[in-house]
Amino acid sequence: ARTLDEAIAAANGIRFGLAASIYTRNVNHVFEFVDRIECGIAHVNQATVGGEAHVPFGGVKATGIGGHETGSTAIEFYSELKVVYVDYSRQ
């Protein structure tokens, strides 16, 4: 790719989205990459290897290597917030 836009379009144009990486010294490119890339794990100035067990790393699109709801994210994934008001004044 000749430009960041071309690179991101090429990466997002496939059906997989486990991990992506950018090598750059341009901090603006870093933030644009992280914001626009469609993947589960974004790496900056390092290879796309490894995943941390405490973060969700199942990927996006047609990608998956395990649960998308691992680690502390599972609490949100398996929970539903409900607000309950109880009036005990009529006991």
Side-chain angles (χ1 to χ4, degrees):
R2 292 178 184 246
T3 67
L4 180 62
D5 286 335
E6 286 181 8
I8 290 173
N12 289 346
I14 61 172
R15 65 186 190 109
F16 301 105
L18 179 61
S21 179
I22 185 173
Y23 285 82
T24 184
R25 292 181 182 161
N26 185 326
V27 70
N28 293 322
H29 286 176
V30 170
F31 287 112
E32 187 171 350
F33 167 79
V34 169
D35 186 48
R36 294 177 49 203
I37 198 71
E38 296 170 359
C39 68
I41 305 171
H43 297 266
V44 176
N45 295 332
Q46 62 182 9
T48 59
V49 295
E52 305 274 338
H54 65 283
V55 296
F57 59 97
V60 298
K61 304 183 198 180
T63 302
I65 58 162
H68 293 254
E69 67 280 348
T70 57
S72 60
T73 304
I75 294 170
E76 286 183 36
F77 183 83
Y78 289 109
S79 299
E80 182 176 307
L81 179 65
K82 182 182 286 187
V83 177
V84 178
Y85 294 94
V86 178
D87 181 356
Y88 288 105
S89 65
R90 296 184 184 149
Q91 291 185 7

